């Protein structure tokens, strides 16, 4: 089993954050800021950002 380095994990999280952010923006523009899709994407984005920040703190 391969173990990812902290650098690789951070890169993956940044890519995921960027992707989710774009999807959330599109959902917000198309379906409205109060739509379930936009809210769900926002919550998912929060989770990924929190995970990224926790990795940053454990340098």
């Amino acid at each position: 089993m391969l173990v990812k380095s902290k650098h690789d994990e951070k890169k993956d999280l940044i890519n995921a954050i960027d992707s989710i952010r774009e999807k959330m923006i599109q959902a917000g523009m198309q379906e409205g800021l109060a739509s379930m899709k936009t809210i769900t994407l926002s919550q998912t984005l929060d989770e990924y950002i929190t995970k990224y920040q926790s990795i940053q703190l454990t340098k």
Side-chain angles (χ1 to χ4, degrees):
M1 182 174 166
L2 269 174
V3 177
K4 285 189 176 187
S5 71
K6 189 183 267 192
H7 178 73
D8 288 341
E9 189 175 356
K10 285 169 53 174
K11 277 179 36 180
D12 290 347
L13 281 169
I14 289 169
N15 289 335
I17 288 168
D18 288 342
S19 175
I20 295 166
R21 182 182 294 123
E22 279 300 314
K23 290 176 185 176
M24 183 188 70
I25 291 168
Q26 288 301 315
M29 290 171 48
Q30 293 173 356
E31 300 181 27
L33 297 178
S35 77
M36 186 54 71
K37 182 176 182 178
T38 304
I39 291 169
T40 300
L41 287 165
S42 176
Q43 291 170 338
T44 302
L45 181 60
D46 288 345
E47 291 172 13
Y48 277 79
I49 290 171
T50 300
K51 188 171 186 176
Y52 179 82
Q53 289 173 333
S54 71
I55 290 172
Q56 286 288 95
L57 291 175
T58 57
K59 286 185 177 180

